[in-house]
Amino acid sequence: MVPSPQLILFSLLPLVSSSYAVPDSAPVAVAPPHPLITPSPTLQDVASRTIRRRGVIDDLKGDVNSVLSGLGSNIPSYVASGVPNFFQDFPTGDKVQSSLGIDDDQLKALPTSVLNVPGYGNWTDQGWNLRFHGNVYKQPNTSESKLNDLANVFLIDTSVEKLPPDQADQARNLTAEIFVVQQSNQNVTFELKPAPMAGASGEPGGGGAVTPNGGSQQVKFPFPTTAEGDFDAFVSIEGNGLEDGNKTSNIQRLNVYTQGSNIGNATSYLVPTTGMTIISDIDDILRITKIYQPKEGLLNSFARPFVQWKDMPDIYSNWSRSIPDVHFHYLTTTPEQITRNYMDFIYKTYPGGSFDTRPLNFSDVQATLSIRKYLLTKIFETYPKRKFVLVADTSNSDVMKDYPQMATDFPGQVQCIFLRNTSATDDGDKFPYDTSGFQTLDKNSYMFFKVPDDLTNLDIQNGKCLNATIQQNVTFGYQGLPFGINLGKGAASPSLRVPTWIVLALAGLAAAFI
């Protein structure tokens, strides 16, 4: 009989806590991690940590290894990566055809659809370049019973049949968006027109931009779609009455219509050379997701209506009104197949803005951990003279590494970093977060906050990012560990040294009774 995760976790406590009381000794060599716990890229650069007692590591490691072997699937597979596995490995192409039982002739008879993601444009010596990105696919006609079977794969301890009717409908709709067949080697053409509005900031037009006096034109995308059906490139567009990006501070919005598809429409933004851009994550910062609780995270993503997190829309609405010509960019590593709900939610709740999602060629955990940095670097390099405000939460291990790294890689461009401390505000978040990347940053350039009101009355334009009334308690190491353990130079016991694999094991065991 396998012991409960709770019992195992508490049995490990004496081994960890005993490391506090023993005298100093030479560091103990640490063997490579067990194959069941593979450190993610966000953790590989952390130096191996040692406990000040000989024998503790070997004893604890043996216990943990046997625990993990016994628990099997009870330990979530994303413990080592920090990325929820229910956003991984969605089926594509032939796998979708096979799972739905449709042949090539049936597929050919289906109409072609396009997911058009709201893009951003930059000004160059040759004029405006606009980024077009999205996916070309075909949507099979799938029966309700088949969609129920497929949707149930994504649910924990429930089924579509047990959900309220509105939630069951959403689960089926989202599942249908996942089970599409991407179309490679396709050519797409767009129609651009001035956009009268987009977003919901309370301002005329939805905030974040103005309607230009011109810009109407047809644009043929210069490359065919990839093997995964994706398209993504900057394309030069004609001025046709648009303001030059080096002569205006206005952000100009254009509606982008895809020819041949009545759902392939989006609003894109021409962003001038200088100014401020707010790059925001969505899950657990703009909406309630609980991505760190798989059962709740799945229901909140696949079935339940999207719900704003507290009064965060008021904060963004205020920024839209008070920061001159601010550009909003929403960056989520959610797979692009399921981002229509995200875009719909944002445009109904927050100021209008451009979007980035995870393209299909970034499908596994390793790629997911790298996509945020890739997308951040793309937009930073596109606007080398703009300032950026980065907003997210501590439950994303890639955020905790990438956000401070952007301040190092692009000196002078990161104005502020704001991170909701989910461990402090939601007792369901039992995963640690690593604050070591913030150690070299100016302490006034970032803030860990608990509620949206903590962000009020900050002078972001002048780089005043810290609300002095909000206690920070940043230890520059792993924080939010079980039993209130925090590691790092700023911790109460800074000399404590703990191997990364123990950090992950403790987090995994804590997660086992989520």
Side-chain angles (χ1 to χ4, degrees), residues 31-192:
H34 190 280
L36 288 176
I37 307 179
T38 304
S40 73
T42 59
L43 301 178
Q44 284 176 344
D45 63 343
V46 180
S48 178
R49 307 174 189 273
T50 56
I51 293 180
R52 297 179 296 166
R53 175 183 170 186
R54 293 184 182 276
V56 169
I57 290 179
D58 291 335
D59 294 342
L60 182 54
K61 188 173 182 181
D63 289 340
V64 170
N65 286 343
S66 63
V67 166
L68 294 177
S69 298
L71 289 178
S73 60
N74 288 340
I75 295 293
S77 66
Y78 54 86
V79 165
S81 66
V83 176
N85 64 351
F86 53 80
F87 283 157
Q88 312 298 325
D89 301 323
F90 283 170
T92 58
D94 294 340
K95 292 181 180 179
V96 172
Q97 277 190 256
S98 175
S99 62
L100 297 181
I102 58 176
D103 59 34
D104 290 343
D105 290 336
Q106 291 173 310
L107 185 64
K108 288 178 182 178
L110 296 172
T112 299
S113 299
V114 177
L115 171 66
N116 190 2
V117 180
Y120 54 83
N122 68 320
W123 178 259
T124 70
D125 293 340
Q126 288 75 43
W128 284 108
N129 282 345
L130 180 59
R131 183 180 173 208
F132 297 86
H133 60 131
N135 188 265
V136 178
Y137 63 93
K138 291 194 173 188
Q139 176 76 66
N141 297 315
T142 310
S143 68
E144 181 174 302
S145 61
K146 183 65 172 178
L147 285 175
N148 287 348
D149 292 340
L150 295 171
N152 287 336
V153 174
F154 300 107
L155 300 175
I156 298 175
D157 295 336
T158 188
S159 65
V160 172
E161 293 80 3
K162 296 178 181 178
L163 296 175
D166 60 329
Q167 294 186 21
D169 286 342
Q170 178 165 314
R172 282 189 286 266
N173 290 338
L174 195 59
T175 301
E177 292 178 10
I178 294 171
F179 283 86
V180 297
V181 182
Q182 290 75 23
Q183 300 297 292
S184 64
N185 201 35
Q186 300 295 304
N187 296 307
V188 286
T189 300
F190 304 96
E191 292 283 345
L192 306 185

Side-chain angles (χ1 to χ4, degrees), residues 453-474:
D453 284 350
D454 295 345
L455 299 171
T456 58
N457 301 319
L458 295 175
D459 187 5
I460 295 175
Q461 286 180 263
N462 292 309
K464 307 298 182 183
C465 313
L466 179 62
N467 184 337
T469 67
I470 308 303
Q471 194 170 6
Q472 293 299 285
N473 297 322
V474 181

Side-chain angles (χ1 to χ4, degrees), residues 127-440:
W128 284 108
N129 282 345
L130 180 59
R131 183 180 173 208
F132 297 86
H133 60 131
N135 188 265
V136 178
Y137 63 93
K138 291 194 173 188
Q139 176 76 66
N141 297 315
T142 310
S143 68
E144 181 174 302
S145 61
K146 183 65 172 178
L147 285 175
N148 287 348
D149 292 340
L150 295 171
N152 287 336
V153 174
F154 300 107
L155 300 175
I156 298 175
D157 295 336
T158 188
S159 65
V160 172
E161 293 80 3
K162 296 178 181 178
L163 296 175
D166 60 329
Q167 294 186 21
D169 286 342
Q170 178 165 314
R172 282 189 286 266
N173 290 338
L174 195 59
T175 301
E177 292 178 10
I178 294 171
F179 283 86
V180 297
V181 182
Q182 290 75 23
Q183 300 297 292
S184 64
N185 201 35
Q186 300 295 304
N187 296 307
V188 286
T189 300
F190 304 96
E191 292 283 345
L192 306 185
K193 295 182 181 297
M197 68 174 299
S201 70
E203 293 184 88
V210 301
T211 304
N213 293 323
S216 296
Q217 59 195 281
Q218 184 181 99
V219 179
K220 183 177 180 179
F221 193 77
F223 312 107
T225 56
T226 66
E228 296 85 7
D230 285 334
F231 58 90
D232 189 349
F234 284 91
V235 182
S236 295
I237 64 173
E238 300 294 331
N240 293 357
L242 296 169
E243 294 182 273
D244 291 352
N246 59 348
K247 297 179 181 178
T248 182
S249 61
N250 289 329
I251 297 165
Q252 303 168 82
R253 59 177 170 252
L254 293 170
N255 280 336
V256 182
Y257 302 95
T258 308
Q259 287 189 355
S261 175
N262 59 4
I263 61 172
N265 306 326
T267 302
S268 291
Y269 295 79
L270 301 179
V271 182
T273 304
T274 60
M276 186 171 293
T277 292
I278 294 174
I279 300 179
S280 179
D281 193 15
I282 297 175
D283 288 307
D284 291 311
I285 183 68
L286 301 188
R287 81 175 188 98
I288 298 172
T289 310
K290 295 182 180 291
I291 212 165
Y292 34 80
Q293 292 181 276
K295 181 179 178 179
E296 287 295 298
L298 282 164
L299 286 172
N300 290 332
S301 296
F302 282 86
R304 295 169 180 161
F306 282 18
V307 177
Q308 69 189 50
W309 179 58
K310 297 185 179 292
D311 57 350
M312 206 62 175
D314 293 340
I315 299 297
Y316 276 52
S317 177
N318 178 62
W319 285 349
S320 179
R321 293 191 303 269
S322 62
I323 302 174
D325 305 302
V326 63
H327 166 222
F328 290 88
H329 182 69
Y330 301 98
L331 193 162
T332 173
T333 57
T334 300
E336 64 186 8
Q337 300 107 304
I338 62 172
T339 50
R340 273 205 171 92
N341 282 1
Y342 280 75
M343 291 185 282
D344 182 65
F345 166 74
I346 288 296
Y347 276 72
K348 289 179 179 177
T349 318
Y350 291 93
S354 50
F355 251 85
D356 259 318
T357 64
R358 182 183 359 135
L360 291 184
N361 58 338
F362 287 81
S363 58
D364 60 18
V365 170
Q366 293 283 71
T368 302
L369 287 166
S370 67
I371 184 59
R372 190 185 303 272
K373 179 68 179 302
Y374 170 81
L375 295 172
L376 284 169
T377 299
K378 180 190 286 286
I379 192 169
F380 269 70
E381 290 179 344
T382 301
Y383 304 108
K385 295 182 180 180
R386 290 187 72 83
K387 300 283 189 179
F388 292 89
V389 176
L390 308 179
V391 189
D393 69 278
T394 58
S395 68
N396 289 296
S397 62
D398 54 346
V399 161
M400 297 305 295
K401 180 180 180 181
D402 294 342
Y403 273 16
Q405 188 63 46
M406 298 308 291
T408 300
D409 293 347
F410 297 90
Q413 279 194 262
V414 176
Q415 188 86 339
C416 298
I417 299 176
F418 297 124
L419 292 166
R420 175 198 170 192
N421 188 339
T422 51
S423 294
T425 57
D426 190 337
D427 58 10
D429 183 3
K430 301 183 185 300
F431 291 98
Y433 56 97
D434 185 3
T435 57
S436 60
F438 292 83
Q439 188 166 355
T440 60

